[in-house]
Amino acid sequence: MDYLNAFLCGGILCAIGQIFIDKTQLTPARILVGYVVTGVFLQAIGVYEHIVAWGGAGATVPLTGFGYNLAKGVERAVGEDGWLGIFTGGFTASAAGIASAVLFGFLAALLFKPGEKR
């Protein structure tokens, strides 16, 4: 059942993004930023934790999950370090994911020949 919930949650988030692409004049970059901000907002009001409990990886892998991770890191750091945690919490919580993305992007650039399409 966990796999089905993850599939449904991730699918719903992707379908919403596709609707925004098809029906609005928003650029994909603005939609992606909106997803991150939505994840932060939903975590701030206490809703996204319930979505993660239901959807698992379907809720934590998309960009809303990145926003959720940032907000959760800031919340934890503020509890431990006080107001300084506002500036450090998001970086600490997301460091492993960002470092992995940079590393795998670098490896992909080494393995494949980038170039313009003709």
Side-chain angles (χ1 to χ4, degrees):
M1 195 64 174
D2 291 339
Y3 294 123
L4 179 63
N5 289 346
F7 176 77
L8 289 174
C9 184
I12 289 168
L13 290 172
C14 290
I16 291 169
Q18 189 63 48
I19 290 169
F20 278 131
I21 289 172
D22 292 343
K23 301 294 182 185
T24 68
Q25 296 296 320
L26 293 172
T27 63
R30 289 185 179 180
I31 294 169
L32 297 176
V33 169
Y35 264 41
V36 173
V37 171
T38 300
V40 169
F41 177 73
L42 291 176
Q43 173 60 19
I45 63 173
V47 173
Y48 207 79
E49 192 71 40
H50 300 292
I51 297 171
V52 169
W54 173 74
T60 58
V61 171
L63 281 172
T64 51
F66 180 68
Y68 156 76
N69 191 26
L70 289 174
K72 193 172 172 183
V74 168
E75 182 180 355
R76 185 179 320 122
V78 167
E80 294 172 0
D81 303 329
W83 289 101
L84 186 62
I86 292 173
F87 303 107
T88 62
F91 294 117
T92 304
S94 61
I98 294 171
S100 298
V102 170
L103 174 67
F104 290 123
F106 176 72
L107 291 175
L110 289 177
L111 294 175
F112 301 101
K113 182 180 177 186
E116 294 182 21
K117 288 186 177 182
R118 295 178 190 233

